[in-house]
Amino acid sequence: MAQKRLMQELYALQKEKWIHIETNESSILHWKVGLWVVNPDSIWHGAYLQAEMRFPGEYPYQPPAFRFLTKRICHPNVYSDGNLCISILHKPGDDEQSGELASERWNVLHGVESVLRSVLLLMDDPEINSPANVDAAVLYRDNRGLYNIMARKIVAESQTEIPDGVRMPTSTELVSAPVKPIEDDADFWNMSDGEEDFGGSDSDEDMGDFEEEDDDDDDDDDEAK
């Protein structure tokens, strides 16, 4: 199940311009990911952040692991070895010790895209109450100017490590075009009655057409009566 789900997610994510993904030839359970920080208001704008994701055999019922490969990231929630501390990657269920609710942690409705978007949001809005990097948290809280200077230095360094053939997308390229929904195996999606969308696909926009058709059917029934 993990391999099938990941192949579906990979297919969808390969259309995204802000992500570059390389998969391990011997295992779909290991990805190398490049994230472009495309938000012009972000202090990390222009950064090409490289990371690896490892997926358990129980995926999507258990979360993947995420570790930055870009070195020396100064951020309250990034450990010195690149591992990231973020609630969405914590195992499902409430955690009394940390106080995290199940709604904040991993669940089967999440997917790679929701993780990566959460990572980018965390880069700009770190959690400093329980930091992985105490020094970075203190710097963020007490000396934001120096923190921003260090962030911009990492942005510049990351731009020297961009793989050949990879470039930052333009604002025009980031406007997603409508995508035809992928016909899928109905049995696979029946694995969870409550599951809806795990990847934030642009195809959700097409659902309005079905709602309009339903309304038309209701009108026809009323006229028949």
Side-chain angles (χ1 to χ4, degrees):
M1 180 176 292
Q3 294 182 352
K4 184 172 184 178
R5 167 92 171 231
L6 287 171
M7 287 299 296
Q8 291 172 333
E9 294 196 60
L10 178 62
Y11 179 84
L13 288 171
Q14 285 174 334
K15 298 181 175 66
E16 298 289 346
K17 302 296 185 180
W18 55 278
I19 308 172
H20 176 71
I21 299 174
E22 296 178 9
T23 57
N24 190 303
E25 294 182 359
S26 61
S27 176
I28 189 66
L29 300 179
H30 183 201
W31 293 14
K32 286 189 176 180
V33 180
L35 295 176
W36 284 109
V37 181
V38 296
N39 177 10
D41 297 323
S42 172
I43 190 62
W44 303 92
H45 179 245
Y48 182 74
L49 302 176
Q50 301 187 60
E52 66 175 356
M53 297 186 72
R54 295 183 180 273
F55 301 87
E58 299 81 13
Y59 182 82
Y61 296 104
Q62 294 296 326
F66 182 99
R67 184 172 73 92
F68 279 114
L69 299 177
T70 298
K71 304 297 184 183
R72 298 179 296 278
I73 293 181
C74 178
H75 188 279
N77 305 118
V78 179
Y79 290 99
S80 59
D81 61 0
N83 281 305
L84 181 68
C85 182
I86 185 172
S87 296
I88 195 176
L89 293 180
H90 294 165
K91 291 183 177 182
D94 295 334
D95 182 24
E96 295 181 1
Q97 183 175 357
S98 68
E100 288 181 343
L101 301 177
S103 59
E104 301 174 295
R105 296 160 68 91
W106 179 263
N107 66 64
V108 72
L109 298 182
H110 288 309
V112 177
E113 183 172 354
S114 60
V115 169
L116 298 182
R117 290 188 181 278
S118 295
V119 170
L120 292 176
L121 288 173
L122 186 67
M123 294 300 294
D124 286 328
D125 188 18
E127 170 55 59
I128 63 173
N129 292 325
S130 55
N133 184 329
V134 175
D135 292 339
V138 171
L139 194 63
Y140 179 86
R141 184 191 63 195
D142 298 340
N143 194 340
R144 190 70 58 85
L146 180 57
Y147 176 88
N148 290 347
I149 289 174
M150 296 183 68
R152 297 308 303 170
K153 180 180 179 181
I154 296 166
V155 171
E157 290 177 353
S158 74
Q159 292 173 346
T160 67
E161 300 174 349
I162 300 171
D164 293 338
V166 177
R167 63 175 179 79
M168 185 171 178
T170 64
S171 56
T172 302
E173 291 173 325
L174 291 171
V175 178
S176 300
V179 178
K180 180 181 178 180
I182 302 172
E183 294 185 2
D184 210 347
D185 182 353
D187 292 336
F188 173 77
W189 291 112
N190 286 334
M191 67 181 182
S192 172
D193 293 337
E195 183 165 354
E196 296 175 356
D197 175 31
F198 58 80
S201 171
D202 294 332
S203 60
D204 291 344
E205 298 173 1
D206 298 335
M207 293 304 292
D209 297 335
F210 293 98
E211 295 174 357
E212 293 177 1
E213 291 177 4
D214 292 341
D215 293 340
D216 292 341
D217 292 341
D218 293 341
D219 293 340
D220 292 341
D221 292 341
D222 294 339
E223 292 177 0
K225 292 177 181 178

